[in-house]
Amino acid sequence: MDTNAVDLRTTLAAQPVNRSVSVSVPSQVYFDLDQFQRVQKELLGQLGCPACTSGFDIRYDIQRRFIVDANLAVQATGLAQDQLSP
C-alpha cells in the first residue's frame, strides 16, 4: 500500500456520525434578515468556523409557543396569528 494514501475507512470513522444541529428562533428574529444573520454568525462561530457551516446540517425552526389556561383555552404567544402556518 502506498504510504501517502489516505485510508478512507479510518478518516470516515473518526468523524461524528450526526452533524445535524437544531436551532429554534423567535419569529421576530426569523423574519428579520439582520437579526437572523447575527444569530447565524454567532452559531457558526460556536460550531468552529464563523465563515462556513463546517459540514453541519443546520435546521432552523420558528419557535411556536402556546399557553393553555385552566378553562383549556389555547392561545399562541410570541407570534402573530398569520405566522402560525408553516
Side-chain angles (χ1 to χ4, degrees), residues 49-66:
C49 183
C52 69
T53 61
S54 302
F56 286 95
D57 177 13
I58 302 173
R59 300 173 186 198
Y60 291 94
D61 183 36
I62 299 172
Q63 289 177 351
R64 292 175 175 90
R65 297 181 186 267
F66 297 89

Side-chain angles (χ1 to χ4, degrees), residues 15-21 55-57 59:
Q15 294 182 1
V17 174
N18 187 357
R19 305 268 299 168
S20 65
V21 176
F56 286 95
D57 177 13
R59 300 173 186 198

Side-chain angles (χ1 to χ4, degrees), residues 17-81:
V17 174
N18 187 357
R19 305 268 299 168
S20 65
V21 176
S22 296
V23 181
S24 183
V25 295
S27 61
Q28 62 267 27
V29 172
Y30 190 83
F31 293 108
D32 182 311
L33 181 59
D34 292 331
Q35 289 184 28
F36 186 82
Q37 287 176 330
R38 287 189 1 223
V39 168
Q40 188 174 25
K41 181 179 177 182
E42 175 67 23
L43 175 65
L44 294 178
Q46 290 192 29
L47 292 175
C49 183
C52 69
T53 61
S54 302
F56 286 95
D57 177 13
I58 302 173
R59 300 173 186 198
Y60 291 94
D61 183 36
I62 299 172
Q63 289 177 351
R64 292 175 175 90
R65 297 181 186 267
F66 297 89
I67 295 176
V68 180
D69 66 21
N71 296 322
L72 303 181
V74 179
Q75 269 188 303
T77 64
L79 303 179
Q81 287 296 329

